[in-house]
Amino acid sequence: MKHRELCSGKTIDWGKKLRRALTLDNLRVQSLQLRIKAMSSTTTESISEAQIPLTSGMTLQTLNYIVTVDLGGRNMTLIVDTGSDLTWVQCQPCKSCYNQEGPLYDPSVSSSYKTVFCNSSTCQDLVAATGNSGLCGGDNGVDKTTCDYVVSYGDGSYTRGNLGSESIQLGDTKVESFVFGCGRSNKGLFGGASGLMGLGRSSVSLVSQTLKNFNGVFSYCLPSLEDGASGSLSFGEDSSVYKNTTSVSYTPLVQNPQLSSFYVLNLTGASIGGVDLESSSFGGGILIDSGTVITRLPPSIYKAVKTEFLKQFSGFPSAPSYSILDTCFNLTSYEDVSIPTIKMIFQGNAELEVDVTGVFYFVKPDASLVCLALASLSYENDVGILGNYQQKNQRVIYDTKQEKLGIAGENCSF
């Protein structure tokens, strides 16, 4: 995974783009909370391994991480998202598509592409993944045979199209008959990516579809955003590809039927600079989501974090709030600053020590506006979300068969 500044002939107002990105990140979080509330009211041996380089999406004007895979013999660049299930790409012919880098996928020129029909069991699995099914119906007296889908995301983005199956190459492993969405009408904050890779837990996710190949295990290391920084997305149980500098500590994936498609952890504590924090909200569930940027905490936990952080990071001039970030500083007069460590503790005493690059969000390159990269949820009973900004330089291991998540420090490289 590499991060670079966008090279182009035109001048880009990054301040405006960053503010918009954080606003849309907040809308995604609000949408996840609504999905959670809506949901609450209603052994094979691993035979393959795969490792794929990832890059920062900044080059394609998105704050998420991206990976390039071979879909039916064509390279497609996908946003990596553990908070959604359906993998999709923009397809020809397209009714309404955003501008992407590279050509759209064209099923008509692929000998391995197959249509998924609306009366198939695969089509009915859409309910769990998207909340809507590709029901067989008709328009103007003409029967519909394709399995149509609609997926809406929290920031107002959406994709509409029909399901198909195709071969997908993940590292050295080729997976046949992979079910994905052929997007014919797509809009939103996907930057110039071809589409999205759904790594959630429903039956249509890539993780579920490759269970026989990788035994339900995948991991990633998200790098810092410095030039030349790189990371990886790995599938399978081969831990020899990890380059972790600390031992892996595991925490159980919380079993919650109402949140069955999400990865939920039990946040039992946190510390700032070695000082343990107290909050009645510790012991509650928190989602881990590669598609959310900034971590969101229940108000009482965030208040405890902010109070102790300001106590230890004192004497620095404050700066105005920026979007969802309300603990900001002007550090232009300082060459070096000592930053308190932030640790998150999960059930089983698994620890995530936030990398130094995940503590502050540099709104302005001259350091005149630098903010603590954490935000508060609106309500105490909202579900916390561990975003990708605080997951940098960590090996995060998802083991869906043993229902556990591993965390270890790692200087990401590929």
Side-chain angles (χ1 to χ4, degrees):
M1 214 162 356
K2 293 190 172 110
H3 170 266
R4 300 194 219 27
E5 293 297 331
L6 183 69
C7 293
S8 70
K10 60 184 179 180
T11 302
I12 295 175
D13 184 348
W14 278 106
K16 183 178 179 182
K17 281 188 174 293
L18 287 173
R19 185 179 291 272
R20 181 167 181 264
L22 287 179
T23 300
L24 294 170
D25 193 49
N26 203 39
L27 289 172
R28 175 189 172 92
V29 169
Q30 292 173 15
S31 174
L32 284 174
Q33 300 300 330
L34 290 172
R35 277 179 63 192
I36 290 165
K37 287 180 173 63
M39 292 163 80
S40 299
S41 63
T42 58
T43 313
T44 304
E45 291 288 324
S46 177
I47 58 171
S48 302
E49 311 293 338
Q51 189 176 26
I52 309 170
L54 289 86
T55 60
S56 163
M58 291 290 280
T59 54
L60 297 182
Q61 300 184 47
T62 172
L63 291 178
N64 287 311
Y65 291 95
I66 55 177
V67 63
T68 299
V69 299
D70 179 310
L71 185 70
R74 296 152 193 81
N75 282 342
M76 295 288 140
T77 303
L78 308 177
I79 292 171
V80 176
D81 189 4
T82 60
S84 63
D85 298 283
L86 183 68
T87 297
W88 59 269
V89 297
Q90 297 201 110
C91 282
Q92 293 279 22
C94 192
K95 294 179 182 176
S96 175
C97 282
Y98 58 85
N99 292 327
Q100 75 172 53
E101 189 175 279
L104 274 60
Y105 172 82
D106 188 348
S108 68
V109 299
S110 171
S111 59
S112 49
Y113 175 84
K114 293 183 177 63
T115 298
V116 172
F117 294 102
C118 65
N119 57 359
S120 64
S121 60
T122 301
C123 191
Q124 306 316 310
D125 288 341
L126 268 179
V127 179
T130 68
N132 61 83
S133 61
L135 296 175
C136 295
D139 292 318
N140 301 321
V142 179
D143 287 339
K144 183 180 72 174
T145 58
T146 58
C147 180
D148 296 343
Y149 75 88
V150 180
V151 180
S152 298
Y153 301 94
D155 55 15
S157 305
Y158 63 82
T159 174
R160 298 186 186 117
N162 51 275
L163 289 194
S165 71
E166 177 63 279
S167 63
I168 186 171
Q169 186 86 27
L170 300 169
D172 295 329
T173 303
K174 189 173 187 177
V175 179
E176 302 289 353
S177 302
F178 174 70
V179 176
F180 72 105
C182 220
R184 312 287 185 175
S185 179
N186 319 290
K187 181 182 179 182
L189 197 71
F190 305 114
S194 310
L196 182 143
M197 176 185 283
L199 292 173
R201 307 197 65 183
S202 86
S203 59
V204 300
S205 77
L206 186 145
V207 181
S208 298
Q209 290 193 59
T210 59
L211 197 60
K212 291 181 179 179
N213 304 89
F214 306 120
N215 215 24
V217 178
F218 72 97
S219 72
Y220 53 65
C221 191
L222 308 179
S224 62
L225 303 182
E226 297 172 355
D227 286 346
S230 61
S232 63
L233 172 65
S234 301
F235 294 94
E237 298 170 294
D238 183 9
S239 60
S240 68
V241 300
Y242 307 159
K243 301 174 183 176
N244 49 300
T245 53
T246 64
S247 58
V248 179
S249 58
Y250 286 94
T251 185
L253 289 170
V254 176
Q255 301 304 298
N256 188 327
Q258 283 77 40
L259 303 176
S260 58
S261 66
F262 294 109
Y263 298 99
V264 185
L265 312 177
N266 186 3
L267 181 65
T268 57
S271 67
I272 304 293
V275 177
D276 292 336
L277 305 179
E278 293 185 5
S279 170
S280 58
S281 287
F282 283 131
I286 184 170
L287 308 182
I288 181 165
D289 179 24
S290 68
T292 295
V293 181
I294 300 294
T295 293
R296 305 305 205 282
L297 299 169
S300 65
I301 296 180
Y302 178 73
K303 183 180 179 182
V305 169
K306 178 179 178 178
T307 300
E308 184 60 35
F309 190 89
L310 287 174
K311 189 184 296 183
Q312 296 186 31
F313 195 74
S314 59
F316 298 98
S318 62
S321 298
Y322 180 82
S323 184
I324 58 174
L325 307 176
D326 66 4
T327 307
C328 302
F329 308 91
N330 182 345
L331 302 178
T332 50
S333 301
Y334 303 87
E335 286 189 14
D336 296 293
V337 295
S338 179
I339 303 174
T341 57
I342 299 178
K343 282 187 180 179
M344 303 177 77
I345 299 125
F346 304 95
Q347 183 179 340
N349 288 322
E351 286 188 359
L352 187 156
E353 180 171 336
V354 176
D355 187 73
V356 66
T357 62
V359 176
F360 280 137
Y361 192 93
F362 280 73
V363 179
K364 295 185 178 179
D366 64 358
S368 61
L369 185 54
V370 178
C371 302
L372 179 64
L374 299 167
S376 176
L377 291 162
S378 299
Y379 304 101
E380 202 66 36
N381 63 350
D382 283 347
V383 179
I385 301 174
L386 177 54
N388 65 39
Y389 205 79
Q390 281 67 47
Q391 296 180 50
K392 290 184 287 186
N393 283 324
Q394 309 282 339
R395 174 59 60 176
V396 184
I397 306 160
Y398 296 74
D399 189 333
T400 63
K401 290 297 284 288
Q402 297 191 51
E403 296 291 348
K404 63 181 183 179
L405 182 130
I407 305 168
E410 179 172 328
N411 295 318
C412 298
S413 62
F414 185 82

